[in-house]
Amino acid sequence: MCSWGSEDIAGWIMEANNDPAISAIVLEINSGGGQVDGTQLLGEVVRASQKPVVAWVAGMAASAAYWVASQAREIVMESETTSEVGSIGVIAMHVDATKALEQEGYKVTIVRSDGSADKALFNSFEPLSEAVINDTKASLNLIRQTFEKTVKAGRPGISADVFTGKMYAGKDAIRLGMADRIGYLGDAVRRADLLARKS
């Protein structure tokens, strides 16, 4: 939405890795997640960083944001009760606006060229067929498998119980292996500095 995106942040992390004045990186995260696009790239850049990356969760790291955070060396959450992580899962939302359009006096006709029978079947102007729902679910399942595999690789001690899409507050997140400690931004910076000194 006309703001910095995953590729920009990935670029900054790579620049930080090439800057001798920078010893470690802290990512401040407060995000409900978002699109899959760019998430895998950013997570990989965080994982591959030669300099330690600590993720500090100010409010929430949900879905795509947790995908990225899980690839950091450590996750520090601001609060035991009001900071949350999780939402490990993948969804797509569809609005069938056909009846609303009919009530407003609109009739939408979609014309597809020959050979384009599968073009733009996931749209708001016609109901989803069972085939489209099944195809969409299959695509989402593939993304979810990658998401879960990536999180497990970044957080080897994570509980198998967290892969349902649920969010977890700080205290429970630490118990379930989703985060490492509670602390403020300064604590996250200190942890990053300590990790850099150990490297």
Side-chain angles (χ1 to χ4, degrees):
M1 300 294 282
C2 303
S3 183
W4 304 114
S6 299
E7 289 185 10
D8 300 296
I9 298 167
W12 297 335
I13 292 169
M14 290 186 284
E15 286 174 18
N17 271 275
N18 292 322
D19 188 337
I22 296 172
S23 62
I25 301 160
V26 175
L27 296 177
E28 180 178 345
I29 300 175
N30 189 1
S31 170
Q35 291 184 320
V36 175
D37 299 347
T39 300
Q40 190 168 5
L41 163 75
L42 180 53
E44 179 59 24
V45 168
V46 170
R47 187 202 62 76
S49 176
Q50 294 174 349
K51 296 179 180 178
V53 178
V54 171
W56 180 61
V57 180
M60 72 169 65
S63 199
Y66 187 71
W67 183 322
V68 173
S70 73
Q71 301 309 292
R73 298 265 185 98
E74 287 190 4
I75 299 175
V76 179
M77 298 179 70
E78 183 179 45
S79 169
E80 287 187 349
T81 55
T82 60
S83 297
E84 293 183 301
V85 295
S87 190
I88 301 170
V90 186
I91 63 170
M93 296 184 188
H94 176 266
V95 176
D96 183 348
T98 53
K99 288 188 179 177
L101 290 168
E102 280 178 23
Q103 290 175 352
E104 292 294 320
Y106 294 100
K107 181 179 178 186
V108 177
T109 302
I110 297 174
V111 180
R112 294 178 174 94
S113 68
D114 293 338
S116 300
D118 294 324
K119 180 120 179 125
L121 296 177
F122 196 94
N123 66 72
S124 297
F125 304 110
E126 56 189 343
L128 295 181
S129 68
E130 282 299 314
V132 171
I133 291 171
N134 291 336
D135 287 348
T136 302
K137 192 169 183 179
S139 296
L140 297 178
N141 286 340
L142 287 174
I143 297 166
R144 185 192 178 281
Q145 288 169 14
T146 302
F147 190 174
E148 185 172 330
K149 181 180 174 184
T150 303
V151 169
K152 285 180 178 177
R155 307 285 310 173
I158 197 166
S159 169
D161 297 333
V162 304
F163 297 98
T164 64
K166 184 177 176 180
M167 292 290 288
Y168 296 88
K171 199 171 183 179
D172 286 335
I174 291 170
R175 178 178 58 80
L176 294 165
M178 301 179 79
D180 300 291
R181 64 191 75 248
I182 303 297
Y184 298 116
L185 179 57
D187 299 310
V189 171
R190 278 192 290 276
R191 288 300 303 169
D193 180 55
L194 182 61
L195 291 170
R197 290 174 192 271
K198 288 181 177 179
S199 296

